[in-house]
């Protein structure tokens, strides 16, 4: 194949999935000339699995991406068919928004954003090789021999690297949804010396809505109140489509047990490590044999299609068995299967080979993001994408790198977990992975991250001003409620009685009254109204801040402690093997992860507190040696 | 890590008329002020640096006066560690100094790791380069030893008990997490407030039981009550002297005791022993008869450990056998002495009579076998095999402090649950309780919650 020079860019993004699009948009917005190369322009931001975004932890990530100026929140706000706030009965820390997406509209809207973005070139092409000189990436070569030069390259190839689809005993080389797999690029990455692992994931069959008997299922409507992920969204979609709930039947379980020998999971055909949080229906029935039924959610894939996603029925059994499985579910007796479910195996990079900026340790200026790094989920991919885009552009523009901490964002938790601990299965964010989840709320993502997004140039001045005002209003209102006194008069007692609370006997500060579990800001507002009615978002923040002050305070103290350790930096050129006293296992792990700070070092599994103590002493010794020498 | 306030006994155990408990860290003065009562009511925080103050220490929870002390106040940076340092001078001896240490730990200080004061001094630029290696060696050596002890205790009863509490908490937590991360998953019952209260109260009560044994138990305050018995001239006094000489008596003849019983406090390989030798019994002709004496009976009854001494150069006598009968069912170590002389004792029979008790042989005259005896004592203690009396497995100051913290955390959780705070907030304190309990047995891996989640529930799309 004759090669030709095809152009020079600051940043090249390989892949236009959820990681790739965020990476490219962020880099271009920051002012880096950016090229996106995708195998197929019609598959931009495609959702190969469930048609939904958000949910616990993940929904907060979407808000965080938005607060950093990312696209995911804005696009889903325009293209969803349903939105729901989850966990409303619980505390503010775990509330989360989830949207059902119109898959096609989502893709179209995202493609439009890329096309309209300044500094961004969108091109269809299959990258086969990374050009690397002296351990530094300088460009890529595509299938047609086009050579693109770049200062930085971001690889976001999802599950395409040596992808293989498995259905029953059928196994063939393929990307998700029968797209072309990426073989040559996978070889190129391996040849550079990266450690790879084989992961597995799967998707359920899709069925035709017209053939579903919905009368045998329960309706799951969206919320009545307008909801949005993005802080910039002003137009809300109120015309929503419902989802439906049904269950497996004893017959379903029987079919699976009878056909287990045909499942590639159990026949040994699949070697890849699958995620525990996303088991196939075979897995569920084998591992939890005492459960008499499992939930099945029927989720429309969009407004202009009859295809329905059968959530809960992920499987890689042969197609004929899948057909019988579907027909065994109440409501689906006559359902037509449009696509079969399948399992997919793919190569992923061992993520401890990355710095927290998502640059690879081995090859300078090369970044990786998304499912390729061993995660699962559109939101996890997008989160890494935006951070890789920011850091690649920052490198090019000579700006400071951007690493979010575990107390800043779920994005920080995600990336720190990946690069510090690695992962033995496709990694999914859970709220329980965050130590400070009370601080990482759905409602305060803007307060946490807008400042950072603005400094990076990803947030418009207008939006920034709105944020500044909101922040100021919150502070002022909290101060006011701490100072203003409520006296026990009849009007006050009346309002307290409405909430079934105990009447007050002594005058008390408004903030203290609001701390009572049964009190809401609405009631306080009626007793001591502010000079000007505040927005619902500000009221919410004031209420949360005052009500949970004690808990927030406790978390903040823990964060302070951690930050002190975070500020103790480890020199990059440290030789762990030269430090006597550190246990051998710890030496190996430290050498592999190469933590940037003492805090990160202490999170590595296999590194114990004694090792950390010795490390601290050693670093201090080096510092003194430098001063005295 | 090295940002919190640490405390430790800074003087050698057991010697001297006074002992010093040292605190260092951001909160050292604050903690001291919470427990220090000066006659004039002054607060240390307001006093100038490098001054010394007379007063008492009181437990803020009960108001009870614990000790009469002199407190040295040294504010950062001109201190050994370059942090705020408070040194509490109290009466010497195991009892007093341990009570002071416990009090500061309860008030929020953390027990210093081996060499930690020096480490801090170094990290804050106080100690010069040449001392760095020594510090590292110190950390390493002492940690290894601590680890060994921890391993022994791991297999012990405390670790099993803590493990049970943690598992119960973990299961509840996993359920809460599933409710949060999988809100639509219908199979898991929503963890209700009453359930949280119920579990929390159970855990709190269990912690209380553990703490009760620790505060009533003799181990820390008084040592493991150990009675040496045996016929005349088998070597009881030699055994006592030998243990005392090797380990240095901590307290001789406690002030205020009116008993005619001699007690020697020794520290055998980290196990505090209160060696009890009844003066009367020692010189009597008929030991068995003397055991009949009410007080001696009492001493035996209260004993945690019996050291039964036999003369190996003589055959077993009726008296010996009656001694075995008198202490049957108790934890004991049989010491066969005088191995330097020709042996006439029927070992088979001794082992039969000893039952589960260990048998060691010594020649106290030649100073042989004492090491083995000490090992046997330490072994009994650390392996958690002692069951007698009100022996408690919670013997170490660090564990007691952690149990207090765990109790405070679960109490917070219960209080919040009763006040109607949302489950995911209550969960913060439940998680903390779980983590603190984990510190006792050296296990606080976050991953175990996630593992529990997926093992316990069937989740996913």
């Amino acid at each position: 194949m004759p090669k030709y020079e095809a152009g020079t860019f600051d940043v090249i993004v390989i892949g236009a999935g959820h990681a790739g699009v965020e990476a490219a948009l962020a880099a271009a917005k920051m002012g880096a000339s950016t090229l996106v190369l995708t195998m197929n322009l019609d598959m931009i931001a495609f959702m190969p699995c469930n048609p939904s975004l958000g949910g616990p932890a993940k929904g907060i990530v979407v808000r965080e991406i938005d607060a950093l100026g990312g696209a995911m929140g804005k696009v889903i706000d325009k293209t969803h068919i349903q939105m729901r706030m989850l966990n409303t009965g619980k505390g503010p820390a775990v509330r989360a928004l989830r949207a059902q997406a119109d898959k096609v509209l989502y893709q179209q809207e995202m493609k439009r954003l890329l096309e309209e973005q300044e500094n961004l070139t969108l091109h269809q092409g299959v990258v086969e090789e990374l050009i690397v000189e002296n351990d530094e990436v300088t460009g890529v070569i595509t299938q047609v021999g086009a050579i693109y030069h770049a200062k930085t390259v971001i690889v976001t190839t999802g599950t395409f690297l040596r992808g293989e689809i498995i259905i029953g005993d059928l196994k063939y080389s393929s990307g998700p949804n029968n797209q072309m797999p990426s073989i040559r690029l996978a070889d190129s990455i391996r040849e550079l010396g990266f450690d790879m692992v084989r992961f597995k994931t799967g998707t359920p069959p899709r069925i035709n809505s017209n053939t579903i008997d919905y009368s045998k299922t329960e309706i799951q409507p969206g919320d009545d109140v307008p909801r949005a992920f993005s802080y910039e969204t002003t137009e809300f979609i109120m015309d929503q489509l419902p989802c439906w709930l049904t269950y497996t039947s004893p017959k379903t379980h029987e079919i699976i047990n009878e056909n287990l020998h045909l499942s590639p999971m159990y026949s040994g055909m699949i070697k890849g490590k699958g995620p525990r949080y996303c088991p196939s229906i075979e897995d569920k029935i084998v591992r939890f044999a005492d459960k008499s039924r499992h939930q099945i959610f029927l989720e429309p894939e969009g407004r202009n299609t009859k295809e329905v996603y059968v959530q809960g029925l992920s499987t890689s059994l042969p197609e004929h068995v899948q057909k019988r499985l579907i027909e065994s579910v109440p409501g689906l007796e006559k359902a037509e299967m449009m696509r079969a479910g399948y399992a997919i195996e793919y190569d992923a990079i061992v993520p401890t080979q990355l710095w927290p900026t998502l640059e690879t340790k081995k090859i300078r200026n090369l970044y990786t993001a998304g499912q390729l790094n061993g995660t699962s989920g559109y939101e996890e991919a997008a989160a890494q994408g935006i951070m890789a885009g920011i850091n690649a552009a920052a490198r090019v523009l000579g700006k400071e790198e951007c690493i979010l901490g575990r107390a800043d964002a779920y994005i920080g938790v995600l990336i720190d977990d990946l690069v510090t601990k690695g992962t033995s299965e496709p990694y999914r964010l859970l709220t329980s992975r965050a130590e400070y989840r009370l601080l990482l709320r759905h409602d305060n993502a803007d307060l946490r991250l807008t400042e950072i997004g603005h400094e990076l140039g990803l947030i418009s001045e207008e939006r920034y001003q709105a944020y500044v005002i909101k922040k100021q209003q919150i502070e002022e209102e909290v101060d006011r409620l701490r100072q203003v006194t409520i006296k026990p008069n009849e009007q006050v007692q009346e309002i307290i009685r409405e909430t079934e609370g105990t009447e007050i006997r002594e005058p008390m500060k408004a903030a203290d009254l609001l701390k009572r579990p049964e009190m809401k800001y609405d009631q306080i507002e009626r007793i001591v109204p502010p000079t000007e009615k505040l927005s619902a978002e500000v009221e919410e923040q004031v209420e949360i801040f005052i009500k949970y002050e004690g808990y927030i305070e406790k978390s903040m103290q823990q964060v302070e402690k951690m930050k002190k350790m975070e500020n103790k930096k480890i020199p990059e050129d440290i030789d762990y093997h030269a430090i006597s006293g550190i246990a051998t296992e710890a030496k190996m792990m430290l050498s592999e992860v190469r933590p940037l700070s003492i805090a990160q070092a202490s999170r590595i599994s296999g590194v114990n507190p004694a090792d950390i103590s010795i490390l601290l002493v050693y670093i201090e010794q080096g510092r003194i040696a430098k001063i005295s020498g | 890590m090295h940002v919190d306030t640490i405390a430790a006994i800074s003087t050698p155990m057991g010697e001297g008329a006074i002992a010093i408990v040292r605190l260092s860290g951001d909160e050292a003065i604050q903690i001291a002020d919470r427990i220090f009562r000066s006659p004039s009511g002054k607060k240390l925080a307001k006093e100038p640096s490098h001054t010394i103050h007379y007063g008492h220490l009181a437990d803020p929870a009960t108001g009870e006066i614990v000790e009469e002390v002199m407190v040295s106040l040294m504010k950062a940076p001109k201190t050994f560690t370059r942090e705020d340092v408070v040194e509490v001078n109290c009466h010497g001896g195991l009892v007093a100094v341990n009570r002071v240490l416990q009090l500061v730990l309860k008030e929020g200080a953390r027990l210093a790791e081996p060499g930690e004061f020096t480490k801090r001094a170094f990290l804050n630029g106080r100690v010069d380069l040449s001392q760095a290696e020594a510090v590292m060696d110190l950390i390493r050596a002492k940690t290894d030893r601590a680890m060994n002890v921890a391993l022994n205790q791991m297999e012990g009863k405390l670790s099993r008990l803590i493990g049970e509490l943690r598992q119960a908490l973990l299961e509840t937590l996993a359920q809460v997490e599933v409710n949060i991360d999988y809100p639509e998953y219908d199979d898991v019952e929503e963890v209700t407030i009453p359930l949280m209260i119920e579990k929390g109260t159970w855990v709190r009560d269990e912690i209380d039981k553990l703490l009760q044994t620790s505060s009533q138990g003799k181990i820390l305050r008084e040592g493991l009550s150990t009675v040496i018995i045996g016929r005349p001239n088998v070597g009881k006094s030699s055994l006592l002297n030998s243990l005392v000489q090797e380990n240095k008596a901590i307290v001789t003849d406690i002030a205020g005791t009116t008993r005619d019983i001699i007690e020697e406090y020794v520290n055998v390989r980290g196990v505090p022993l209160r060696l009890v030798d009844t003066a009367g019994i020692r010189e009597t002709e008929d030991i068995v008869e003397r055991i009949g004496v009410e007080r001696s009976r009492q001493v035996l009854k209260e004993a945690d450990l019996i050291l039964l001494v036999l003369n190996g150069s003589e055959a077993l006598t009726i008296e010996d056998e009656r001694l075995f009968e008198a202490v049957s069912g108790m934890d004991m170590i049989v010491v066969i002495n005088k191995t330097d002389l020709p042996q006439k004792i029927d070992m088979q029979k001794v082992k039969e009579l000893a039952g589960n008790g260990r048998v060691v042989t010594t020649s106290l005259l030649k100073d042989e076998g004492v090491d083995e005896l000490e090992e046997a004592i330490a072994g009994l203690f650390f392996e958690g095999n002692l069951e007698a009396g009100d022996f408690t497995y919670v013997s170490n100051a660090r564990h007691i402090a952690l149990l207090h913290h765990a109790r405070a955390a679960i109490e917070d959780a219960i209080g919040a649950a009763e006040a109607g705070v949302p489950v995911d907030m209550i969960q913060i304190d439940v998680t903390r309780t779980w983590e603190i309990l984990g510190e006792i047995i050296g296990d606080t891996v976050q991953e175990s919650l996630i593992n529990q989640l997926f093992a316990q529930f069937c989740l996913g799309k």
Side-chain angles (χ1 to χ4, degrees):
Chain A
M1 173 72 59
K3 294 192 170 63
Y4 75 100
E5 292 291 331
T8 299
F9 295 85
D10 288 335
V11 179
I12 291 177
V13 180
I14 308 173
H18 302 283
V21 296
E22 296 290 355
L25 287 170
K29 275 191 205 169
M30 281 172 69
S33 67
T34 305
L35 169 69
V36 179
L37 288 169
T38 170
M39 281 180 172
N40 187 343
L41 274 174
D42 297 327
M43 300 305 274
I44 289 173
F46 175 61
M47 298 183 182
C49 197
N50 55 325
S52 81
L53 282 182
K58 289 160 164 275
I60 302 177
V61 168
V62 179
R63 299 274 276 187
E64 290 173 352
I65 292 169
D66 184 70
L68 290 170
M72 186 171 248
K74 286 186 203 78
V75 174
I76 189 67
D77 283 349
K78 280 192 176 177
T79 61
H80 65 92
I81 60 169
Q82 180 192 101
M83 267 209 213
R84 284 176 71 190
M85 185 69 89
L86 305 175
N87 285 335
T88 46
K90 305 189 182 86
V94 298
R95 270 168 226 157
L97 200 53
R98 195 182 57 205
Q100 294 299 134
D102 183 313
K103 284 187 175 181
V104 173
L105 288 182
Y106 187 88
Q107 285 185 264
Q108 285 172 349
E109 178 62 17
M110 192 62 87
K111 187 176 178 216
R112 192 184 63 80
L113 280 189
L114 291 182
E115 288 164 350
E116 287 179 359
Q117 179 61 47
E118 235 180 289
N119 293 332
L120 194 152
T121 307
L122 192 53
H123 188 77
Q124 183 164 298
V126 179
V127 174
E128 295 205 326
E129 197 185 327
L130 300 174
I131 308 171
V132 172
E133 292 160 23
N134 301 324
D135 293 337
E136 196 171 312
V137 72
T138 58
V140 304
I141 305 173
T142 69
Q143 206 174 20
V144 295
I147 300 172
Y148 297 92
H149 299 281
K151 297 193 177 98
T152 57
V153 173
I154 306 172
V155 187
T156 67
T157 49
T159 61
F160 282 75
L161 292 189
R162 294 205 304 127
E164 283 180 304
I165 282 184
I166 303 140
I167 306 173
D169 56 4
L170 173 69
K171 184 171 188 172
Y172 58 96
S173 187
S174 172
N177 201 34
N178 289 345
Q179 295 178 76
M180 206 185 340
S182 200
I183 311 277
R184 301 286 293 271
L185 181 60
D187 292 342
S188 173
I189 291 172
R190 255 175 211 282
E191 278 159 19
L192 291 171
F194 285 102
D195 282 339
M196 309 294 281
V197 281
R198 198 82 178 141
F199 277 169
K200 171 241 152 187
T201 185
T203 195
R206 318 292 202 268
I207 56 180
N208 188 321
S209 178
N210 287 346
T211 60
I212 298 172
D213 180 359
Y214 286 109
S215 68
K216 291 182 181 163
T217 67
E218 296 164 33
I219 191 164
Q220 305 254 302
D223 289 347
D224 295 333
V225 284
R227 304 270 189 206
F229 277 103
S230 174
Y231 291 90
E232 285 178 60
T233 296
T234 48
E235 283 173 36
F236 302 90
I237 297 173
M238 294 313 291
D239 167 28
Q240 303 185 77
L241 298 182
C243 294
W244 307 85
L245 171 62
T246 177
Y247 294 89
T248 56
S249 68
K251 182 81 186 156
T252 320
H253 295 222
E254 209 182 293
I255 296 170
I256 284 173
N257 283 321
E258 277 168 14
N259 290 286
L260 216 49
H261 60 287
L262 299 176
S263 164
M265 288 300 292
Y266 290 86
S267 68
M269 187 179 215
I270 293 183
K271 302 253 169 8
K273 178 94 178 165
R276 284 172 298 178
Y277 47 79
C278 186
S280 61
I281 187 73
E282 299 90 288
D283 258 353
K284 289 188 204 173
I285 283 168
V286 171
R287 284 186 50 218
F288 296 91
D290 53 333
K291 279 198 60 175
S292 60
R293 62 177 199 175
H294 296 269
Q295 287 167 307
I296 303 284
F297 291 94
L298 304 174
E299 306 176 0
E301 294 229 327
R303 291 181 193 275
N304 302 314
T305 174
K306 291 294 170 194
E307 245 181 298
V308 170
Y309 177 91
V310 188
Q311 202 227 89
L313 214 60
S314 180
T315 178
S316 51
L317 282 162
E319 195 176 82
H320 63 94
V321 183
Q322 292 192 26
K323 199 166 168 340
R324 288 177 57 208
L325 274 185
I326 290 170
E327 288 163 5
S328 71
V329 174
L332 309 185
E333 294 86 349
K334 302 220 164 73
E336 260 172 34
M337 181 166 72
M338 295 177 71
R339 303 178 202 222
Y342 61 85
I344 183 166
E345 279 192 322
Y346 56 97
D347 282 357
I349 275 190
V350 173
T352 48
Q353 299 172 99
L354 307 173
W355 297 115
T357 55
L358 298 179
E359 184 184 15
T360 66
K361 290 170 186 167
K362 213 176 265 303
I363 309 292
R364 202 175 139 80
N365 296 336
L366 179 66
Y367 297 75
T368 61
Q371 214 155 354
L372 167 66
N373 286 348
T375 59
S376 106
Y378 314 136
E379 305 84 348
E380 286 89 343
Q384 293 169 67
I386 193 169
M387 296 316 293
I390 287 169
N391 281 307
R395 168 68 51 79
V396 170
L397 303 169
K399 288 189 179 176
E400 217 178 301
E401 57 191 26
C402 177
I403 298 171
L404 298 179
R406 300 184 72 88
D408 298 328
Y410 272 98
I411 300 176
V413 173
L414 162 75
I415 294 176
D416 183 64
D417 276 352
L418 286 176
V419 303
T420 307
K421 297 178 184 158
T423 182
S424 57
E425 64 181 335
Y427 178 103
R428 176 195 161 140
L429 261 180
L430 297 164
T431 66
S432 40
R433 297 201 197 263
E435 300 87 335
Y436 316 109
R437 79 176 164 205
L438 180 56
L439 304 179
L440 307 183
R441 299 190 309 272
H442 161 89
D443 62 78
N444 70 352
D446 58 336
L447 297 173
R448 289 184 273 126
L449 300 171
T450 307
E451 203 85 51
I452 296 171
H454 180 249
E455 258 171 56
L456 291 166
L458 296 172
I459 294 287
S460 70
E461 204 51 43
E462 188 190 350
R463 175 164 167 188
Y464 183 66
Q465 284 314 319
Y467 152 80
V468 170
I469 291 167
K470 177 178 172 186
K471 200 174 159 206
Q472 192 188 347
Q473 284 177 335
I474 295 166
E475 280 163 15
E476 284 172 2
E477 182 63 358
V478 168
D479 276 352
R480 187 182 75 89
L481 294 186
R482 278 179 179 157
Q483 277 160 25
V484 64
T485 304
I486 292 177
K487 296 199 181 76
N489 60 40
E490 194 37 47
Q491 182 228 350
V492 171
Q493 309 293 28
E494 176 62 37
I495 291 173
I496 293 174
R497 276 196 299 272
E498 276 173 28
T499 68
E500 292 173 8
T502 7
E503 297 182 6
I504 59 171
R505 287 204 210 111
E506 306 282 325
M508 67 196 301
K509 298 289 180 214
D512 291 329
L513 186 58
L514 180 52
K515 279 199 167 87
R516 289 186 173 187
E518 71 277 6
M519 292 304 279
K520 295 263 178 287
Y521 179 84
D522 296 354
Q523 281 116 25
I524 301 295
E525 185 189 24
R526 278 163 60 199
I527 302 171
V528 283
T531 42
E532 215 174 304
K533 170 78 181 162
L534 296 161
S535 71
E537 289 78 31
V538 171
E539 289 179 357
E540 183 186 28
Q541 288 306 306
V542 170
E543 181 175 312
I544 291 171
F545 190 81
I546 290 179
K547 256 189 177 338
Y548 303 110
E549 198 181 4
Y551 286 98
I552 292 173
E553 199 68 21
K554 252 193 236 175
S555 292
M556 293 299 289
Q557 282 168 10
Q558 287 178 304
V559 171
E560 279 312 307
K561 279 190 177 183
M562 182 201 54
K563 286 242 164 97
K564 285 191 185 173
M565 291 295 114
E566 213 72 73
N567 290 336
K568 290 200 179 291
K569 300 294 177 206
I570 300 176
E572 225 178 276
D573 55 357
I574 192 165
D575 177 6
Y576 292 103
H577 293 284
I579 308 174
S580 63
I582 293 185
T584 314
E585 190 200 350
K587 278 183 188 173
M588 279 167 54
M589 293 308 297
L590 287 164
S591 305
E592 187 188 324
V593 175
R594 288 156 76 189
L596 300 179
S597 69
I598 289 292
Q600 194 192 350
S602 67
R603 288 191 292 267
I604 300 172
S605 46
V607 175
N608 66 39
D611 299 320
I612 294 296
S613 284
I614 289 168
L615 187 56
L616 269 168
V617 171
Y618 181 85
I619 291 168
E620 188 61 19
Q621 181 185 15
R623 196 182 64 78
I624 293 173
K626 263 178 212 151
I627 295 167
S628 54
Chain B
M1 293 281 159
H2 98 305
V3 284
D4 41 11
T5 296
I6 52 170
I9 299 170
S10 297
T11 38
M13 287 296 273
E15 282 169 288
I18 63 158
I20 295 175
V21 172
R22 180 156 62 180
L23 287 119
S24 176
D26 294 350
E27 280 186 40
I29 297 172
Q30 240 175 294
I31 290 170
D33 262 335
R34 282 206 285 274
I35 55 176
F36 181 65
R37 304 281 178 272
S38 139
S40 62
K42 66 186 169 192
K43 283 289 164 202
L44 296 172
K46 297 204 172 128
E47 294 300 309
S49 184
H50 294 76
T51 51
I52 188 157
H53 308 270
Y54 168 79
H56 290 86
L57 293 192
D59 186 339
T62 59
E64 184 201 352
I65 298 292
V66 172
E67 254 296 287
E68 185 183 19
V69 294
M70 295 291 285
V71 174
S72 310
L73 174 68
M74 287 155 281
K75 293 182 181 175
K78 285 188 180 172
T79 69
F80 176 57
T81 55
R82 294 216 168 157
E83 300 170 340
D84 285 338
V85 169
V86 172
E87 289 183 357
V88 178
N89 293 250
C90 62
H91 290 105
L94 197 63
V95 183
V97 75
N98 258 318
R99 288 181 73 176
V100 173
L101 179 63
Q102 296 253 338
L103 194 57
V104 298
L105 295 181
K106 207 170 124 188
E107 287 305 311
R110 171 171 67 68
L111 190 65
E113 289 157 20
E116 197 171 3
F117 285 100
T118 319
K119 184 178 103 185
R120 287 188 178 202
F122 178 79
L123 291 177
N124 293 326
R126 177 71 169 63
V127 178
D128 71 33
L129 185 59
S130 61
Q131 287 170 269
E133 288 293 331
V135 178
M136 284 207 255
D137 287 348
L138 187 69
I139 294 167
R140 181 160 173 69
K142 295 217 176 170
T143 313
D144 285 351
R145 203 176 309 154
M147 291 263 287
N148 286 337
V149 173
L151 275 180
N152 281 330
Q153 291 188 341
M154 279 294 283
E155 289 154 13
K157 198 170 179 178
L158 173 66
S159 129
R160 278 202 303 280
L161 266 168
I162 300 280
E164 281 168 28
L165 292 184
R166 293 189 82 225
Q167 187 57 30
L169 290 173
L170 192 62
E171 281 167 19
T172 312
L173 282 171
Q175 210 167 325
V176 174
E177 296 303 329
V178 170
N179 291 161
I180 291 168
D181 273 321
Y182 295 85
E184 288 171 331
Y185 182 65
D186 66 348
D187 266 32
V188 189
E189 208 178 312
E190 191 84 12
V191 177
T192 55
I193 298 289
L195 182 73
M196 294 286 265
I197 295 176
E198 185 196 314
K199 290 268 182 188
T201 310
W202 177 72
V203 168
R204 183 194 60 197
D205 292 350
E206 290 297 310
I207 293 176
D208 275 345
K209 275 188 211 158
L210 279 172
L211 278 173
Q212 222 165 17
T213 61
S214 81
S215 55
Q216 290 170 351
K218 300 167 189 167
I219 303 288
L220 252 180
R221 284 207 323 267
E222 300 172 23
L224 194 67
S225 166
T226 307
V227 177
I228 303 176
I229 58 169
R231 288 186 289 119
N233 293 323
V234 291
K236 297 193 301 293
S237 315
S238 310
L239 177 59
L240 179 79
N241 288 334
S242 171
L243 285 172
V244 168
Q245 269 163 21
E246 262 193 30
N247 301 292
K248 287 177 189 157
I250 293 168
V251 180
T252 314
D253 211 358
I254 302 187
T257 176
T258 55
R259 293 175 292 183
D260 56 352
I261 291 168
I262 304 235
E263 299 185 343
E264 299 279 1
Y265 285 79
V266 299
N267 191 330
V268 173
R269 309 202 173 182
V271 184
L273 291 193
R274 184 182 49 161
L275 286 171
V276 185
D277 190 359
T278 53
I281 293 174
R282 199 166 4 178
E283 298 309 327
T284 185
E285 314 236 315
D286 186 349
I287 166 74
V288 181
E289 199 175 278
R290 290 295 292 192
I291 288 175
V293 176
E294 187 55 34
R295 188 181 293 139
S296 302
R297 237 189 231 292
Q298 197 60 32
V299 169
L300 269 188
K301 211 176 121 194
E302 286 174 4
D304 298 314
L305 176 64
I306 306 290
L307 301 179
L308 197 161
V309 189
L310 302 172
N311 183 344
S313 66
E314 293 173 9
L316 278 172
T317 66
I318 296 288
E319 284 102 329
D320 287 329
E321 292 192 31
R322 284 170 69 186
L323 277 174
F324 273 108
E325 273 169 40
V327 299
S328 76
M330 302 182 69
D331 282 303
M332 88 175 126
I333 295 172
V334 178
V335 182
I336 300 178
N337 191 29
K338 305 198 184 182
T339 52
D340 48 300
L341 300 172
Q343 295 296 288
K344 290 188 184 149
I345 199 159
D346 180 351
M347 284 298 283
Q348 197 54 41
K349 180 87 177 164
V350 170
K351 281 184 180 152
E352 253 171 54
L353 288 167
N356 291 331
R358 298 191 191 188
V359 180
V360 295
T361 55
T362 60
S363 165
L364 294 168
L365 186 73
K366 291 195 167 173
D367 205 18
E368 284 168 8
V370 181
D371 273 355
E372 284 82 351
L373 173 61
E374 291 189 355
E375 245 163 53
I377 293 170
L380 269 177
F381 183 84
F382 286 120
E383 285 159 26
N385 290 337
L386 280 175
E387 301 279 354
D390 59 352
F391 173 74
T392 164
Y393 300 94
V394 189
S395 55
N396 129 350
R398 191 181 74 92
H399 293 171
I400 293 173
L402 286 169
L403 279 173
H404 277 295
H405 293 318
R407 192 193 187 283
I410 197 71
E411 191 66 45
D412 281 353
I414 297 167
E418 282 167 351
V421 169
V423 167
D424 50 291
M425 297 284 174
I426 304 168
Q427 169 273 342
I428 294 174
D429 286 314
V430 177
T431 306
R432 248 184 74 67
T433 313
W434 179 75
E435 283 170 354
I436 297 168
L437 290 176
E439 277 178 49
I440 297 179
I441 55 175
D443 171 26
T444 47
V445 194
Q446 266 242 302
E447 197 62 22
S448 46
L449 176 59
I450 288 161
N451 290 336
Q452 180 72 34
L453 208 72
F454 293 114
Q456 203 172 333
F457 305 107
C458 171
L459 305 162
K461 58 188 172 189

